[in-house]
């Protein structure tokens, strides 16, 4: 890895799951983070247990279907731009990927990917079954509630796009996303008009209330409720709320899903990544058209929700990969 902020986020992902974390440092990370624990390639490949590569390489097994890690196993994640080195990929016992149904962004932030992989490879027993047919008609709405840092908010939006959301609502009471001066971003955006499938980011407004008849599920580490992967997170009219900390007041009829981790609660991008991954897992992947029985007449796969277009922030896919 080459970005010290990502290295710190990765170390935090490991602490979330109470596992040690070490870096193969060929890019001078250690100079900026002197407390970094390092490993060389030989030690990485010659560890005591199997090495599982986490990367979305062709043919990699879905992390949702991979069995739990063996005792003594390690997982490895890769460089922000180049992924895992080919020799490390070849030396790994297997490679698992986090399926990315998004049309525009096809990778997660590296620390988010590690947290999602650890969530499924270490536990998440008793998972709900995936829905599979017509997943789009069951995709829940997402509310990012009061994110406290713009990088964490941006990284969460990147995950949402990668997991297939096209619209996300943000309660931006901490003023980290809308109206913040982002001159570089705006300049670059102007130069990239050709990019397709932007993410619509809709402000929740001061007095957000769930749409009439909706079911609100608040997903957080410290709530009283069933485990995230045992809670129904999908369905028309479902709104998944991902609060950053405990400053966000849920509606009185909200349900709660607990994001249980064995270690410390991690930063917002890690929490939102796990919630979005689990919702995407429960949605399942669209049945291939060839396998579906022919339909009569016209049909549609999902309903269009109305959004307050004038206020909507359109974020281009390439911008999201900066997070
Ligand atoms: C941003 S990605 C690297 C980008 C990648 N080379 C590309 O452009 O396709 C950084 C690392 O995050 C992890 N990662 C990101 N998205 C992933 C996914 N969907 N499945 C598994 N690992 C992922 C992998 O370890 C990857 O090497």
């Amino acid at each position: 890895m080459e970005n010290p902020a990502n290295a710190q986020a990765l170390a935090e992902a490991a602490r979330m799951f109470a596992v040690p974390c070490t870096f193969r440092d060929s890019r001078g990370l250690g100079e900026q983070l002197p407390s970094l624990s390092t490993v060389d390639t030989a030690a990485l490949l010659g560890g005591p247990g199997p090495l599982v590569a986490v990367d979305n390489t062709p043919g990699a097994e879905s992390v949702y279907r991979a069995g739990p890690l063996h005792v003594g196993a390690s997982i490895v994640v890769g460089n922000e731009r180049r992924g895992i080195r080919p020799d490390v990929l070849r030396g790994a016992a297997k490679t698992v990927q986090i399926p990315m149904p998004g049309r525009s962004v096809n990778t997660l932030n590296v620390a988010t990917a590690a947290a999602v992989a650890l969530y499924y490879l270490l536990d998440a027993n008793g998972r709900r079954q995936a829905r599979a047919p017509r997943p789009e008609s069951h995709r829940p709405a997402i509310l990012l509630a009061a994110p406290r840092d713009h990088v964490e908010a941006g990284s969460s939006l990147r995950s949402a796009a990668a997991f297939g959301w096209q619209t996300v609502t943000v309660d931006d009471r901490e003023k980290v996303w809308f109206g913040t001066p982002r001159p570089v971003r705006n300049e670059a955006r102007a130069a990239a008009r050709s990019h397709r499938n932007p993410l619509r980011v809709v402000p929740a407004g001061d007095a957000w209330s769930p749409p009439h008849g909706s079911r609100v599920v608040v997903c957080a580490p410290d709530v009283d409720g069933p485990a995230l992967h045992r809670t129904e997170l999908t369905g028309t009219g479902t709104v998944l709320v991902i609060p950053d900390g405990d400053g966000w007041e849920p509606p009185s009829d909200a349900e709660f899903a607990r994001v249980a981790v064995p270690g410390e609660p991690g930063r917002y991008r890690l929490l939102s990544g796990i919630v979005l991954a689990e919702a995407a897992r429960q949605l399942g992947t669209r049945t291939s058209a060839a396998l579906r029985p022919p339909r009569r007449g016209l049909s549609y796969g999902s309903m269009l929700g109305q959004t307050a277009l004038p206020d909507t922030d359109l974020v281009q896919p390439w911008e999201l990969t900066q997070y």
Side-chain angles (χ1 to χ4, degrees), residues 54-56 77-84 96-98 100 106-108 110 113 158:
V54 177
D55 216 333
N56 54 353
V77 289
N79 176 271
E80 294 90 333
R81 287 181 294 121
R82 287 180 301 278
I84 300 177
V96 298
Q97 63 167 311
I98 302 157
M100 303 270 76
N106 65 359
T107 57
L108 298 170
V110 56
R158 170 189 181 159

